[in-house]
Amino acid sequence: MATARRGLRVVVVGGGVGGLCLAQGLRKAGIDVSVHERDDSIRGRNQGYRLHISPDGERALRECLPERVQALLTATANSRYGFGMANYDEHLVPQWTPEMSDPRADQVDKVDAVDRVTLRKVLLAGLTGAVHFGKRYTHHEVQPDGTVAVQFADGSVDTGDVLVAADGANSVIRRAQGFPEPRDLGVRTIFGRIPMTERLRAELPEILQDRFTWVIGSDEHKLGLMPMVFRTEPATASARLWPELAFEPCDDYFMSVFSMHRTATGMPDEQFLAMSGAQLWEFAKARTTGWHPHLRAIMEFADVEETFPVAVRATAPIELWEPGPLIPLGDAVHAMPPSGGVGANTALRDAATLTRELLAADRGEQPVALASERYQTEMLGYATDAVAMSLQVAKWSLKRIDFDESVLPARVAG
Ligand SMILES: Cc1cc2nc3c(=O)[nH]c(=O)nc-3n(C[C@H](O)[C@H](O)[C@H](O)COP(=O)(O)OP(=O)(O)OC[C@H]3O[C@@H](n4cnc5c(N)ncnc54)[C@H](O)[C@@H]3O)c2cc1C
């Protein structure tokens, strides 16, 4: 016998990758959801460019997204060149590279990398009225009837049966719960965007345009170059598939990642992290004067306005939150270094897992507290593995990170 739906109401703080994917999943499942994002728009701040989408991340997206949104995502995904990674030294002499086989080699509509801003725009599609920008969470209160009143800086309040903390690695909700901040791994990274102009394509050998290139300099500096080549340019894709969305035009580009240990920057953190895009590129060029001319040339094409520094951090070990109406998702509960390319994928997997559990709660099959516990138990397993894998890749590719593995649970340490 079919049971009546409970009419669960979910309030999400944070309209990033995880929060928006969750909203799509809940809407698709017929659950009332509202998302509150502190930025005024999707393009609010520097947030990184190309995102690798793993098979797990792709599966989660397909589970959460309605068909029309999925079609837009597939159309705007990276059109794959070569699979895997190619390693070089700074003179472009090939180095040992881990063997990787492409589990999606035969999948013509695969989504294995996306532009982050385009992904977030796609994730907004069809969520009319559910996502509110310019809403900075300040605090919340669990009321006597068990609902949660969520307060925002503009004085507004939203109330739900569940509050999902999807407010990222600097989560204020996490901090208020008394959990420790993610650990500083001592790695400092300059993220940049290098438009793939016709001139750049003509000047660079095909091999550098083909796949994820990782250059390990002999002096501890590393450079990653990841091509983002849209299957269909986003404005063209939205005009064809969803004209009301009117995406802005966006050209192909390389995402660049220039990394070193904190002590190798030669300056205090406050100074490094406050540098402008132009200063960061001058810094990178000064550190690579002896590098191969192709690598030097590519830096000349960088978009300095779209360059920013990041201090790489990780949550280890992951700690579970008290099962109840306050539920964490994504970087708010498990930040990890971008080197593994799975932080966003893990947040997407959280969204799909939590959607399933909240749907069961909405159907009256379990209380919200049990939904939270079941989701977090499942999340703890795959997210701990993802953090451990990201740390291992960071150790291998960055050579020097500040991390004591003994803080990881025994099942993944070493
Ligand atoms: C440069 C870079 C490259 C990366 N590359 C990859 C990759 O290739 N693949 C991958 O899987 N992962 C990658 N990651 C990691 C990935 O970006 C994160 O793991 C992912 O964004 C986490 O999603 P999230 O929704 O938890 O948090 P976020 O995407 O950070 O979203 C959090 C949102 O909460 C909002 N917010 C914060 N505070 C408040 C508040 N008080 N009130 C309201 N809203 C608030 C923020 O504005 C933000 O929009 C990369 C990270 C970086 C920095």
Side-chain angles (χ1 to χ4, degrees):
M1 196 180 72
T3 49
R5 300 276 293 256
R6 248 191 79 181
L8 211 60
R9 177 147 215 290
V10 179
V11 178
V12 181
V13 169
V17 173
L20 291 178
C21 185
L22 175 70
Q24 287 284 356
L26 293 176
R27 265 250 172 133
K28 189 171 152 187
I31 295 175
D32 186 14
V33 57
S34 61
V35 180
H36 298 269
E37 165 57 44
R38 100 190 136 175
D39 290 343
D40 290 330
S41 73
I42 284 291
R43 262 225 160 272
R45 77 216 127 86
N46 284 324
Q47 45 192 299
Y49 306 110
R50 178 191 188 270
L51 282 177
H52 159 71
I53 300 294
S54 68
D56 284 331
E58 184 176 12
R59 210 171 297 121
L61 282 162
R62 287 186 190 275
E63 189 174 331
C64 292
L65 303 188
E67 237 170 73
R68 192 176 178 203
V69 182
Q70 177 64 44
L72 192 57
L73 180 70
T74 305
T76 54
N78 189 39
S79 71
R80 197 64 174 176
Y81 283 18
F83 179 78
M85 172 199 256
N87 284 338
Y88 299 95
D89 70 8
E90 71 260 48
H91 306 298
L92 284 182
V93 176
Q95 304 293 303
W96 178 82
T97 303
E99 287 270 326
M100 291 182 218
S101 61
D102 182 358
R104 292 173 282 180
D106 301 327
Q107 190 186 326
V108 287
D109 63 346
K110 69 183 164 188
V111 175
D112 53 17
V114 293
D115 171 61
R116 184 196 292 258
V117 173
T118 305
L119 170 67
R120 288 179 75 206
K121 285 184 186 166
V122 168
L123 290 177
L124 273 178
L127 290 182
T128 318
V131 184
H132 311 279
F133 287 95
K135 293 279 178 185
R136 179 187 292 274
Y137 161 97
T138 55
H139 60 282
H140 69 271
E141 206 176 308
V142 180
Q143 305 184 111
D145 65 356
T147 58
V148 192
V150 187
Q151 182 85 48
F152 299 94
D154 63 1
S156 60
V157 178
D158 194 2
T159 303
D161 303 289
V162 174
L163 164 59
V164 177
D167 53 341
N170 295 315
S171 170
V172 283
I173 308 181
R174 172 190 176 84
R175 199 168 302 138
Q177 298 308 299
F179 290 113
E181 297 294 308
R183 292 162 193 269
D184 181 357
L185 299 179
V187 177
R188 299 295 175 262
T189 293
I190 300 170
F191 284 96
R193 178 188 179 105
I194 304 176
M196 223 184 259
T197 59
E198 284 309 315
R199 220 185 101 209
L200 179 61
R201 282 188 213 256
E203 282 187 19
L204 283 187
E206 186 63 23
I207 186 80
L208 283 184
Q209 305 183 34
D210 181 46
R211 66 190 65 204
F212 180 163
T213 298
W214 189 240
V215 180
I216 304 183
S218 51
D219 55 357
E220 279 205 39
H221 295 89
K222 293 109 198 153
L223 174 69
L225 293 169
M226 296 133 215
M228 175 68 215
V229 180
F230 292 100
R231 197 173 266 149
T232 313
E233 187 282 312
T236 311
S238 78
R240 177 159 56 83
L241 297 170
W242 207 317
E244 310 87 279
L245 296 176
F247 285 0
E248 286 153 34
C250 185
D251 293 331
D252 298 340
Y253 62 88
F254 287 101
M255 178 166 106
S256 66
V257 182
F258 188 72
S259 303
M260 75 235 90
H261 191 265
R262 178 173 45 79
T263 50
T265 63
M267 64 182 86
D269 245 1
E270 310 80 66
Q271 191 182 340
F272 179 76
L273 295 172
M275 279 204 277
S276 68
Q279 289 169 327
L280 289 165
W281 275 113
E282 284 316 310
F283 171 92
K285 285 184 216 168
R287 295 302 177 94
T288 52
T289 48
W291 285 31
H292 192 285
H294 284 322
L295 297 171
R296 306 263 311 145
I298 203 168
M299 296 187 200
E300 296 300 332
F301 289 84
D303 183 344
V304 292
E305 298 296 322
E306 302 262 11
T307 301
F308 59 97
V310 169
V312 176
R313 297 181 301 155
T315 313
I318 295 167
E319 289 172 275
L320 299 186
W321 295 24
E322 179 75 27
L326 174 57
I327 305 178
L329 180 142
D331 278 10
V333 61
H334 48 60
M336 57 193 89
S339 41
V342 291
N345 289 287
T346 312
L348 294 170
R349 196 164 168 186
D350 291 353
T353 310
L354 184 55
T355 296
R356 260 177 259 134
E357 295 300 340
L358 288 178
L359 178 58
D362 188 55
R363 286 182 175 146
E365 293 161 13
Q366 61 183 359
V368 163
L370 186 57
S372 167
E373 188 179 335
R374 285 169 53 95
Y375 149 71
Q376 289 196 67
T377 305
E378 190 173 337
M379 177 271 287
L380 183 66
Y382 60 73
T384 301
D385 289 347
V387 171
M389 185 276 273
S390 300
L391 287 166
Q392 270 165 9
V393 176
K395 259 187 160 178
W396 170 76
S397 59
L398 300 167
K399 305 298 175 215
R400 189 147 65 106
I401 66 169
D402 302 339
F403 183 68
D404 172 7
E405 277 177 72
S406 66
V407 303
L408 285 176
R411 63 191 280 266
V412 288

